[in-house]
Amino acid sequence: MTTADDLDRSIRTALSSLPPGPGRADPDALLHPASSLTGRTALQIYQAQLESRHLDLASRWMQQQGRGYYTIGSAGHEANAAVAAALRPTDPALLHYRSGAFYCARARQVPGIDPLRDVLLGVAAAADEPIAGGRHKVFGRAELAVIPQTSTISSHLPRALGLALSIGRAAKLGVPCPWPDDCVVICSFGDASANHSTAAGSINAVCYSAYQGLPVPLVLVCEDNGLGISVPTPAGWLAAALRGRPGLTYLSVDGFDMVGTYSAAAQAARLARIRRQPVLLHLKTVRFLGHAGTDAELAYRNPADLAADLAADPLIGSAATLVQAGLLTADEAVARYDAAGAACRAAAEEALASQVLAGATEVMRPLAPRRPDQVAHLVRQAPARAVTTEPLSLAQAINHALAELLAQYPGMLVFGEDVARKGGVYGVTKGLQRRFGSARVFDTLLDEQSILGMALGGGLAGLLPVPEIQYLAYLHNAEDQIRGEAATLQFFSAGQFRNPLVVRVAGLGYQKGFGGHFHNDNAVGVLRDVPGLVIASPARPDDAAAMLRSCLAAAAVDGTVSVFLEPIALYHTRDLHEEGDMGWLARYPEPGDHVPVGSARTYGSGTELTLVTFANGLRMSLRVARRLAAQRIGVRVVDLRWLAPLPAEDLLREAEATGKVLIVDETRRTGGVSEGVMAALFDAGFRGILRRVTSEDSFIPLGSAANAVLLDEATIEKAAMNLVRGTQWRSGT
Ligand SMILES: Cc1ncc(C[n+]2csc(CCOP(=O)(O)OP(=O)(O)O)c2C)c(N)n1
Ligand SMILES: [Mg+2]
């Protein structure tokens, strides 16, 4: 096992025995005729490498002091400092958790920033850590264009590509973008991570984009230490898997060689910056101190390999280069090493004395800011435009709303599978590409992770993305891009970065048995527990348009992430009670009208029973309510409209108005919406009678068998009657 002491001893021995170099060299001279690396930059790289190494040692020391919560280090990966040196500090960076030396090198390029303090405050989970404010240990800082990442390996690659593609798009649309027009997006990850489907899908999407000639100013850096915790990456696998991909330039270099690493990174940056072509830089590294502080490496690595790694320490490689070039003596190389150690120790002592976050309010402050007054104000700013006064279907109303909002927000984009030329599977986006152009309304490749990644990166570039997921069942394979990435960004950056977003999802059941489970999926549990996520589920055409206005405005004002869940079965529904009554069509809402997030809508004023529902359940409930009215039973129907946050106040008021509540929930009994509604009513103090009818805990079969597991009107009516008449009602009766 290589301990921190072994590592320290090894480097001291190696540095002090470096053969003496020539006389003093000019720091402004090039180190090698074939490289643009100057002595001065090489010294800065070495400095960042030393700092990063000592940050790892300091974080372990802090853990021993009882105030260090993170020991995954960068030791052995310090070659990435040379990558930072070859880029600009304004190039947005999404970094691997071992890119500490990159962070140090970049921080030293911007006056007034101390990477030692930043990183160690992170280790101590300090409230004044500059990016996550004690919510996570991440590399990130707004002033350094370093965007924080989650721990989910590879989950940042879709966003990185989305950002790279969006920079040119924002410029083309004239939308203010926080990043320079000629910037390069840099994204690093580990060798095992390269096998993750998110990485594999993203690299494919990079190639797919570049192959079509789209500008992709992206440098992917695979930091290859040959291991994923304990599992070795097969020798030669990554080169075989990553080399020769269409549209993607593959460069490889050994991080022991500082000049070579800088040159390769500079070449990658040039290709990406000038030619707008993506590059994959395969950077050979080693890994010291195990995967993390708790990792007993000897259980899976043999001593000879560990010894070989020590000899391949990039700090030794860099120091040898500097001494041979006459930029440092061996003694100076050691002295700088010691000075960096002392500086890290001082920063660690300061970090030990820092404050942590106090209380849930402080922790949650940046989670999902909500400024409803400003949202309302922005909705009212929409330029007046003539919209038909004809009654519209749900699909038509959403189509009109998308057009209205595309006109209002120059940065708004509509994209997804089949949305552009075809106009969507159900015609909801019909005609939008023709009106707003292919820079704003476009088809994507068939990969939901990449679609959402495009949206995440677009939001970071100042755009207002409205991606479409073709069916709810196909959100699930990409769900982490909403849960892990979109919804966490403001939280883990203390509000400094945000990805405003409205994900339109066609979903829910009742398509008359057509398409089986995957076109009738009613699983929303996976969204309901994502902190801060807004879930809109309109039923009526007028509400849909007004709610979409709210979602876009909330995205623009507060960076809100919304899922807009559209009930497919109602898209083209025209009638409510009888054929030809046109009761499900509605007039487009007046300009400026919107539905505040978390507000319900009540139909009727009956005093005997409250039906609480949403989406398809609203139409069924209104039909049942009419039949009950014919039997002189007074019912009111509450359309939740928002599944998160639930309209708790409206719910309580309408529940107390009758004292009897039947929740009509088309989602499943377990994990479905009714669980939340019951809890919300109970928490709010409702002590009346509360029952629910739901769909079964089943996947949805094809054909008429679907009706056997989906909630239907007969069940609703029977339960309502039982409730009003006081009969004991049991599930399934
Ligand atoms: C999606 C996901 N699965 C599992 C993990 C747990 N995990 C953390 S790091 C790691 C290994 C990553 O190896 P590699 O990509 O080579 O990076 P390295 O740590 O070697 O730099 C694993 C399995 C995770 N963070 N994310
Ligand atoms: Mg690895």
Side-chain angles (χ1 to χ4, degrees):
M1 174 83 184
T2 305
T3 64
D5 286 344
D6 294 337
L7 193 55
D8 184 62
R9 211 171 308 116
S10 157
I11 190 167
R12 280 175 192 288
T13 311
L15 294 193
S16 20
S17 52
L18 286 173
R24 272 289 169 210
D26 171 8
D28 291 320
L30 297 179
L31 256 78
H32 188 281
S35 170
S36 54
L37 179 64
T38 63
R40 199 175 301 281
T41 304
L43 286 166
Q44 286 161 353
I45 293 171
Y46 181 58
Q47 178 65 23
Q49 294 180 322
L50 297 175
E51 290 179 342
S52 177
R53 176 65 55 88
H54 281 291
L55 284 172
D56 290 347
L57 304 180
S59 69
R60 281 160 192 252
W61 178 76
M62 285 169 63
Q63 187 193 29
Q64 288 158 14
Q65 309 308 304
R67 182 74 197 282
Y69 304 107
Y70 193 92
T71 52
I72 293 187
S74 302
H77 282 237
E78 290 91 346
N80 52 39
V83 179
L87 291 160
R88 298 178 185 161
T90 47
D91 289 332
L94 296 84
L95 297 179
H96 186 42
Y97 48 75
R98 295 198 201 282
S99 300
F102 181 109
Y103 186 81
C104 292
R106 177 163 287 192
R108 295 298 184 198
Q109 293 172 338
V110 177
I113 293 183
D114 175 3
L116 311 185
R117 179 178 181 276
D118 289 0
V119 172
L120 295 177
L121 285 178
V123 168
D128 53 359
E129 185 272 336
I131 189 69
R135 293 173 187 82
H136 195 25
K137 154 67 182 75
V138 275
F139 293 120
R141 208 180 220 276
E143 303 90 322
L144 299 177
V146 179
I147 299 151
Q149 300 315 308
T150 67
S151 291
T152 312
I153 52 107
S154 303
S155 65
H156 56 309
L157 270 74
R159 185 200 292 279
L161 172 60
L163 181 54
L165 289 170
S166 298
I167 284 158
R169 197 180 297 274
K172 188 170 173 182
L173 297 176
V175 173
C177 173
W179 320 101
D181 284 2
D182 65 346
C183 74
V184 164
V185 177
I186 165 97
C187 173
S188 52
F189 53 98
D191 50 306
S193 304
N195 298 305
H196 198 279
S197 64
T198 315
S202 296
I203 292 169
N204 180 68
V206 168
C207 296
Y208 179 94
S209 308
Y211 180 77
Q212 298 175 76
L214 290 175
V216 188
L218 175 65
V219 176
L220 296 170
V221 181
C222 180
E223 299 190 10
D224 180 4
N225 58 23
L227 286 164
I229 304 187
S230 65
V231 180
T233 295
W237 161 245
L238 282 177
L242 299 174
R243 186 190 284 140
R245 302 287 298 267
L248 181 64
T249 302
Y250 171 87
L251 303 173
S252 114
V253 70
D254 188 334
F256 187 77
D257 172 7
M258 178 206 260
V259 181
T261 304
Y262 180 86
S263 301
Q267 189 189 346
R270 255 193 319 275
L271 279 168
R273 196 179 314 281
I274 297 163
R275 297 223 208 128
R276 313 310 269 170
Q277 287 172 356
V279 181
L280 190 136
L281 177 59
H282 184 182
L283 179 60
K284 177 90 190 71
T285 73
V286 288
R287 187 191 77 185
F288 295 130
L289 306 173
H291 176 73
T294 48
D295 180 23
E297 218 181 2
L298 263 186
Y300 58 87
R301 297 199 71 193
N302 68 52
D305 287 347
L306 292 170
D309 278 0
L310 279 179
D313 187 338
L315 268 56
I316 299 174
S318 297
T321 300
L322 292 167
V323 172
Q324 271 161 32
L327 290 157
L328 282 182
T329 65
D331 286 348
E332 285 166 342
V334 177
R336 288 191 182 211
Y337 174 80
D338 285 336
C344 282
R345 178 59 177 259
E349 275 164 14
E350 245 180 73
L352 290 182
S354 60
Q355 299 293 311
V356 293
L357 287 167
T361 308
E362 207 183 319
V363 170
M364 292 167 68
R365 186 180 43 76
L367 181 61
R370 303 244 191 272
R371 288 173 289 179
D373 294 345
Q374 291 188 36
V375 169
H377 180 73
L378 185 55
V379 171
R380 288 194 292 270
Q381 302 301 303
R385 57 186 278 277
V387 177
T388 176
T389 53
E390 291 292 304
L392 302 174
S393 66
L394 180 69
Q396 289 169 326
I398 296 173
N399 179 270
H400 277 69
L402 287 169
E404 171 194 291
L405 295 163
L406 278 160
Q408 181 180 0
Y409 299 103
M412 176 173 156
L413 309 175
V414 170
F415 55 93
E417 295 151 20
D418 306 299
V419 301
R421 286 179 66 183
K422 182 174 164 67
V425 174
Y426 298 98
V428 177
T429 51
K430 216 177 183 134
L432 296 178
Q433 185 179 48
R434 211 173 345 101
R435 279 184 63 189
F436 295 96
S438 53
R440 300 187 62 198
V441 180
F442 50 94
D443 289 320
T444 62
L445 79 173
L446 202 173
D447 177 24
E448 284 74 17
Q449 284 196 131
S450 297
I451 292 170
L452 294 173
M454 162 75 80
L456 297 174
L460 272 177
L463 298 167
L464 212 46
V466 183
E468 177 183 296
I469 299 293
Q470 206 162 67
Y471 289 97
L472 179 57
Y474 308 133
L475 174 69
H476 303 310
N477 71 50
E479 183 238 328
D480 180 60
Q481 292 295 309
I482 293 181
R483 171 186 298 267
E485 292 293 316
T488 62
L489 186 61
Q490 297 206 63
F491 186 72
F492 290 129
S493 68
Q496 296 168 81
F497 291 105
R498 48 186 234 170
N499 34 224
L501 189 54
V502 182
V503 187
R504 291 184 42 250
V505 186
L508 303 174
Y510 301 97
Q511 292 205 68
K512 301 193 169 68
F514 183 80
H517 175 77
F518 300 93
H519 301 80
N520 287 272
D521 190 8
N522 57 0
V524 296
V526 83
L527 298 170
R528 280 188 49 237
D529 77 336
V530 179
L533 185 70
V534 168
I535 311 172
S537 192
R540 302 268 314 162
D542 45 354
D543 277 346
M547 289 166 74
L548 200 54
R549 286 175 177 165
S550 305
C551 288
L552 261 295
V557 166
D558 289 324
T560 301
V561 180
S562 304
V563 171
F564 201 78
L565 181 60
E566 300 167 7
I568 299 170
L570 298 177
Y571 271 153
H572 303 302
T573 298
R574 302 175 73 79
D575 302 328
L576 173 54
H577 297 296
E578 278 113 31
E579 214 178 299
D581 71 5
M582 309 274 197
W584 207 257
L585 304 181
R587 284 256 189 108
Y588 196 72
E590 292 298 315
D593 280 1
H594 78 299
V595 176
V597 173
S599 66
R601 176 171 175 179
T602 303
Y603 297 80
S605 53
T607 54
E608 285 171 89
L609 177 65
T610 305
L611 296 179
V612 173
T613 190
F614 67 98
N616 293 290
L618 177 64
R619 186 163 177 276
M620 294 193 286
S621 297
L622 290 173
R623 287 163 58 87
V624 167
R626 187 154 101 157
R627 292 201 286 274
L628 294 174
Q631 299 175 60
R632 301 195 178 289
I633 299 174
V635 174
R636 62 182 62 202
V637 178
V638 179
D639 179 8
L640 294 167
R641 302 194 289 199
W642 307 92
L643 308 185
L646 279 172
E649 258 180 50
D650 295 342
L651 256 179
L652 182 65
R653 186 187 61 244
E654 300 301 333
E656 289 189 330
T658 65
K660 286 184 180 170
V661 174
L662 179 66
I663 302 165
V664 175
D665 177 12
E666 65 183 283
T667 65
R668 299 181 199 145
R669 198 163 184 78
T670 305
V673 174
S674 63
E675 289 181 348
V677 175
M678 291 188 106
L681 277 172
F682 197 81
D683 287 351
F686 179 67
R687 295 294 178 263
I689 298 175
L690 185 54
R691 298 284 185 271
R692 61 178 174 150
V693 283
T694 68
S695 293
E696 297 290 341
D697 282 340
S698 171
F699 301 105
I700 291 142
L702 194 65
S704 58
N707 300 331
V709 295
L710 288 173
L711 175 64
D712 60 16
E713 288 180 23
T715 308
I716 301 167
E717 192 169 340
K718 192 168 172 190
M721 289 292 282
N722 287 345
L723 194 49
V724 173
R725 299 268 151 86
T727 326
Q728 183 58 42
W729 179 80
R730 284 175 287 114
S731 161
T733 59

